[in-house]
Amino acid sequence: MTHARARRDADCPARRAAERILAPARRELTRAGLLSALAGALWPVQAAAIAWAVAAWAEGADPLPPAALAAAVLLACGAARAGLDHLAGGLLFRAADRVLARETEALLRREARAPSAQGSSAAAALIVQKLPLLQPWITRHHVAMTRVRILPLLLLALVLPISWLAGLTLLVAGPLIPVFMALVGMAAEDASRRQLTEIGSMNALLMERLSALLDIRLLGAEARAAADFETRAEALRDRTMAVLRIAFLSSTVLELFAALGVALVAVFVGFSLIGEIGIGAWGTPLTLGEGLFVLLLAPEFFQPLRDMAAAWHDRAAGLAVAAELEALDAEPRMAPPGRGEAAAPLPGPLSVRLEGAAAALPGHAVALPDLALGPGDSLALTGPSGAGKSTALAALAGLAPLASGRIEVCGRALDAATADAWRARLAFVPQRPHFPDARLGDWLDPRATGADPWPALRLAEAAEIVARLPDGLDARLGETGGGVSGGEARRLMLARAVMAGGDLVLADEPTADLDAETAAKIIAALARLKARGVAVIVATHDPALAAAMDRRAAIAAPSPASAEVPA
């Protein structure tokens, strides 16, 4: 029985999602739920004070003492309720922040180290737009469920001794709400999942169009691209409106049942007090104080059910996000060798040798050319777009695992034991500039050696770029290098590679999209590096850059028959 139940729980997506998202914060959620329920349990005390004071006034007593006592009780209980809700809210939001931080960190670490075939746009959409939907689930649903288990029963226990008919009315109207919400919940979860899928698709389309913006403009396809984006945006609007329609429908039905329940209790209390109804109480006529007490409790009987209904949609959205997290977890991915940690440089003279190697990517492999490289050698990797030139650089850097063959560096196999130490001897110049929120001087010194950056800047012909910046080495360029052109950003990246002090520089399309004069400066800087004994490997389409290298190695576009990763 126990094994069967464990198996059933493992097969239930909702249970798996709760174990992943809610279980780590279970202690805070339980404490917050009890604090919130305790805050709600103070309302009957306030209702009793109000009913007693009004009944005393109706009986002709001096109004000041009852009013003063009732006001004191109301203020004390109100302050206590506010304090308890504040404590509960603090626990909930701290727990939610911790869960979101944990999931975000896990996603970033995994996708940075071993990205899936879905690409960075899917991960970005999940982190930026979808993970925040977990917060309402964490902060509202568990507390609402705790309150709905405690408060309606407590209020019903207080109403029944006064009037069995009012208690029966609440008992009949109350359960209709969770029954209806359970039926609506399935449709809400499905609608939320479709909405999240559309968000991911729209982000993927946007990233694709932005990356190809130059080609789109050259081909005159701006109208076509805008129409595609408009179609996707309209689909997202439809998905969002479907979620809102379900939310409004369920809210309408909920308010209908709650309003009917409160109205029936109000009608009973009103007609009882004027003597038109003689049943419903336990043998004695309903007094004004009792009637007001019951009437004040009736709306609060339905309030936890309202909260649960609102949180039910938060739960549906949270489950949809958790399902996407599970799907991304299950995506095939290839982790690079090594631990990705700082290590002492791999000893021995520089040498690189590839023999029958093929880099493993999710779902396919990229054949790499056989080659051998020593100190001061230079090589150009050429081939059509998509052939695998960037993948070859990643494999040489130990950032892409091998499906077959061997890469030998410094006389040793490039594997998990040597990858980190090998990367300590490399410098990498990526195709797209990226500048962190840091001083330019600190960014130029990736190994934090404290060396003077100006010799490296002069070698890369980038000294005048830094000298022209208002803050010089103290400048912060922003993520995409605000204030410098694309060619200037490339030269700054090359200066950073020089300061890294590696024996091998890997440069991915260092002259792409540059004018002839700027490209010539990049080529000259690479030649000066080579003259200093640094080996250089570039991936390029540029004939001038390829001609400046000692040798070329062509990478052919993979054929469909050879694209599969061998088992």
Side-chain angles (χ1 to χ4, degrees):
M1 179 73 72
T2 303
H3 293 298
R5 181 176 180 181
R7 214 168 29 246
R8 187 170 63 251
D9 290 352
D11 292 337
C12 177
R15 290 185 183 276
R16 292 198 306 271
E19 284 298 314
R20 175 175 187 160
I21 304 301
L22 300 182
R26 185 69 65 185
R27 178 180 299 178
E28 290 89 344
L29 294 180
T30 301
R31 290 176 58 193
L34 293 176
L35 288 172
S36 182
L38 180 57
L42 291 176
W43 171 247
V45 179
Q46 295 175 292
I50 295 171
W52 171 78
V54 173
W57 299 340
E59 291 172 0
D62 183 1
L64 187 58
L69 182 57
V73 171
L74 286 172
L75 289 174
C77 290
R81 293 181 69 180
L84 292 171
D85 286 335
H86 177 75
L87 291 175
L91 289 170
L92 291 170
F93 280 94
R94 283 194 295 272
D97 289 345
R98 192 170 66 250
V99 170
L100 293 182
R102 185 193 70 233
E103 293 293 337
T104 301
E105 181 181 5
L107 272 172
L108 288 173
R109 286 183 178 276
R110 186 183 62 203
E111 295 303 314
R113 180 171 172 78
S116 71
Q118 290 191 22
S120 59
S121 61
L126 189 55
I127 291 171
V128 175
Q129 294 176 282
K130 300 178 184 181
L131 277 183
L133 297 177
L134 294 174
Q135 187 185 67
W137 181 26
I138 297 169
T139 57
R140 296 175 61 179
H141 180 259
H142 190 277
V143 169
M145 293 301 293
T146 302
R147 287 169 59 88
V148 87
R149 292 188 187 104
I150 297 174
L151 294 181
L153 293 177
L154 172 63
L155 298 178
L156 190 62
L158 294 173
V159 169
L160 277 174
I162 299 172
S163 169
W164 61 266
L165 186 56
L168 183 62
T169 302
L170 297 178
L171 191 59
V172 171
L176 292 176
I177 295 174
V179 170
F180 180 78
M181 289 311 305
L183 296 175
V184 173
M186 294 182 286
E189 185 175 343
D190 187 54
S192 295
R193 187 175 291 112
R194 289 197 298 269
Q195 180 196 27
L196 293 179
T197 301
E198 197 62 46
I199 289 174
S201 299
M202 187 172 178
N203 274 276
L205 178 67
L206 179 59
M207 294 292 290
E208 179 187 342
R209 294 296 186 267
L210 287 176
S211 63
L213 190 58
L214 181 60
D215 294 333
I216 290 172
R217 295 186 64 185
L218 289 174
L219 295 172
E222 297 96 328
R224 172 81 176 271
D228 290 345
F229 193 75
E230 182 180 357
T231 300
R232 188 68 70 183
E234 186 67 20
L236 177 58
R237 186 190 69 82
D238 291 340
R239 297 284 189 266
T240 303
M241 290 305 298
V243 174
L244 292 176
R245 279 195 295 269
I246 294 173
F248 287 139
L249 172 64
S250 60
S251 298
T252 301
V253 175
L254 165 67
E255 293 300 327
L256 174 64
F257 285 130
L260 286 175
V262 173
L264 288 173
V265 172
V267 168
F268 162 71
V269 170
F271 278 95
S272 295
L273 292 178
I274 63 175
E276 294 295 329
I277 296 180
I279 62 170
W282 297 98
T284 58
L286 201 65
T287 66
L288 176 60
E290 291 173 335
L292 284 175
F293 182 65
V294 170
L295 195 56
L296 289 169
L297 293 188
E300 288 299 312
F301 176 85
F302 292 100
Q303 188 58 49
L305 299 171
R306 287 190 179 98
D307 296 339
M308 183 193 70
W312 200 261
H313 295 283
D314 298 328
R315 174 182 179 272
L319 289 177
V321 174
E324 289 214 13
L325 288 171
E326 277 198 343
L328 191 59
D329 291 345
E331 282 285 314
R333 58 187 77 239
M334 299 291 180
R339 299 170 59 89
E341 298 175 349
L346 191 66
L350 177 73
S351 65
V352 179
R353 182 179 298 275
L354 272 71
E355 295 179 350
L361 296 179
H364 67 286
V366 176
L368 306 179
D370 292 344
L371 58 88
L373 205 72
D377 291 343
S378 61
L379 174 73
L381 296 173
T382 61
S385 296
K389 299 186 296 298
S390 298
T391 300
L393 291 182
L396 287 167
L399 297 176
L402 293 183
S404 61
R406 174 184 176 88
I407 297 180
E408 188 179 281
V409 293
C410 300
R412 300 174 61 181
L414 178 56
D415 53 23
T418 59
D420 290 330
W422 167 240
R423 285 190 284 265
R425 297 188 65 165
L426 303 181
F428 189 72
V429 180
Q431 183 175 357
R432 293 183 178 85
H434 178 83
F435 297 90
D437 184 18
R439 289 180 63 254
L440 180 59
D442 295 335
W443 176 80
L444 286 169
D445 189 9
R447 305 197 194 281
T449 61
D452 181 9
W454 291 104
L457 289 168
R458 285 190 289 269
L459 185 147
E461 298 194 33
E464 74 279 4
I465 301 171
V466 178
R468 192 185 68 243
L469 294 173
D471 296 322
L473 290 172
D474 292 326
R476 294 175 182 264
L477 298 181
E479 185 174 335
T480 56
V484 297
S485 67
E488 291 171 340
R490 296 273 176 80
R491 281 183 278 164
L492 288 173
M493 289 193 297
L494 192 54
R496 185 175 190 265
V498 173
M499 283 205 70
D503 301 302
L504 172 62
V505 171
L506 304 174
D508 191 2
E509 299 283 3
T511 60
D513 306 321
L514 301 182
D515 60 83
E517 181 181 353
T518 305
K521 291 182 179 181
I522 297 289
I523 295 171
L526 290 173
R528 284 191 287 272
L529 267 178
K530 179 180 177 301
R532 295 174 57 173
V534 177
V536 177
I537 300 178
V538 297
T540 184
H541 289 97
D542 183 359
L545 176 58
M549 300 294 106
D550 297 332
R551 286 174 289 149
R552 302 187 191 189
I555 301 179
S559 63
S562 63
E564 295 182 359
V565 177

